[in-house]
Amino acid sequence: MSTVSKVVDAVDPSASGPDAPAVPQRNRPGALRLLRSGQVRLGCALVLLTMGFALAGPLLTPHDPAKSIALPYATPGDGLPLGADQLGRDVLSRVLAGGFHLAWMAPAAAIAAVALGALVGIAAAFYGGITDTVLMRVMDVLLAFPALLFTLLFVSVIGPKPWLLVVLTAIGMTPGVARVIRGAARPLNDREYVMWSRTVGIPARTILARCFLPNVSSPLLVELGMRLMWSIGILAAISFLGYGIQPPAADWGLMISENRTGLQNMPWAVLAPVACIVLFTIGGNLIAEGSARVIARTEGRG
């Protein structure tokens, strides 16, 4: 068998040949297997429903979300199905327009955190030694700062720019992902096909992409659901504290902060955005928990 054939067989679990090392075939769950779980399907439905509502909402507002059209805390009626907020603005219009930023910022932050965390965790596990020590110590320093506090620290200095909120939220969640993926990837160094791939001189990037990444896809799926849930909470909390999306723009977290003092007079101005955030968060939690259960059952049979 040629050297090229050996290289292909070593990094491709589907390859075969008398000189290629035996690659353990684990029954790893793919996306289709995860979607067979009712809990995962429900979580995906809630996330997609909330995101669709948030992204399409600004096109469906019956009134200008930033314009006062009634008395403060006006009760529902007279073209205001959910009443008015503390400035007399239509609550329904602000709810429809208030999820747009969260609908793209939270998934973007979650995906970025998982991607960066996977990169750091796999690199630390594969190279080991000084690389592992340096990367993990940097992660430990970041882990000492809660993600919300880390984000507020920089936003209060630089300003509440949406892209900055996404970047800071992602960086704040990266250490947790990196530690989980590092723990999942370290045992792969002792696998026969990984040791053989290193011996024959296969480039590190090829080993990482073809041997390591597929074998940590299960924890990555769980982490993605968890980080989506955390990013929703962090971004909503930042807006609630006044460091996120700024008025007069509509935002669910900002709406809760603006109308909390009038909760007894006009509860819909607070309860409606709270319900949207809760549904979004529950969706991410169901995806993470359902994926973990499917993975546990599948790997338990492997």
Side-chain angles (χ1 to χ4, degrees):
M1 177 179 289
S2 66
T3 303
V4 175
S5 299
K6 291 179 180 180
V7 171
V8 173
D9 289 344
V11 298
D12 189 352
S14 64
S16 60
D19 297 327
V23 180
Q25 295 297 316
R26 293 194 306 161
N27 188 21
R28 294 190 299 270
L32 293 178
R33 190 185 301 274
L34 293 178
L35 289 176
R36 294 173 187 169
S37 167
Q39 191 171 9
V40 174
R41 290 199 303 270
L42 178 58
C44 291
L46 286 177
V47 169
L48 293 176
L49 179 64
T50 309
M51 289 184 62
F53 174 82
L55 294 175
L59 303 176
L60 305 175
T61 54
H63 303 284
D64 185 347
K67 184 178 180 180
S68 299
I69 59 174
L71 294 175
Y73 296 126
T75 56
D78 297 329
L80 301 175
L82 297 181
D85 66 0
Q86 90 285 5
L87 295 179
R89 298 169 296 190
D90 180 26
V91 171
L92 177 61
S93 296
R94 291 187 66 77
V95 170
L96 287 170
F100 179 81
H101 290 92
L102 188 63
W104 73 264
M105 291 169 63
I111 293 172
V114 170
L116 184 57
L119 179 64
V120 173
I122 293 176
F126 178 76
Y127 291 105
I130 186 64
T131 301
D132 182 20
T133 301
V134 171
L135 288 177
M136 287 300 101
R137 296 298 77 79
V138 172
M139 293 298 103
D140 288 342
V141 171
L142 292 176
L143 199 60
F145 294 90
L148 178 59
L149 180 61
F150 177 83
T151 305
L152 288 174
L153 178 64
F154 287 91
V155 169
S156 61
V157 176
I158 302 175
K161 301 176 177 61
W163 66 267
L164 180 63
L165 292 173
V166 171
V167 171
L168 293 174
T169 302
I171 293 176
M173 296 189 297
T174 294
V177 180
R179 294 178 70 87
V180 170
I181 301 306
R182 173 179 175 269
R186 287 191 68 181
L188 297 175
N189 287 308
D190 299 326
R191 298 292 176 88
E192 181 185 12
Y193 55 92
V194 173
M195 293 188 291
W196 194 82
S197 300
R198 284 178 158 178
T199 301
V200 299
I202 296 176
R205 63 179 181 274
T206 303
I207 301 175
L208 294 175
R210 301 293 294 276
C211 295
F212 274 72
L213 188 58
N215 282 282
V216 297
S217 59
S218 295
L220 278 177
L221 291 172
V222 178
E223 284 296 311
L224 182 60
M226 290 182 59
R227 300 308 157 181
L228 175 61
M229 177 180 62
W230 278 99
S231 62
I232 294 169
I234 291 171
L235 292 170
I238 291 173
S239 291
F240 177 84
L241 295 173
Y243 291 94
I245 304 302
Q246 297 297 299
D251 181 81
W252 289 340
L254 180 62
M255 288 182 64
I256 299 171
S257 175
E258 290 176 335
N259 297 286
R260 67 185 188 277
T261 57
L263 182 60
Q264 294 182 342
N265 298 325
M266 177 43 61
W268 288 115
V270 174
L271 297 181
V274 165
C276 294
I277 294 174
V278 168
L279 287 176
F280 205 178
T281 306
I282 290 176
N285 185 55
L286 289 175
I287 293 174
E289 185 176 344
S291 299
R293 289 184 177 181
V294 173
I295 291 167
R297 290 197 300 267
T298 304
E299 296 188 345
R301 294 195 300 265

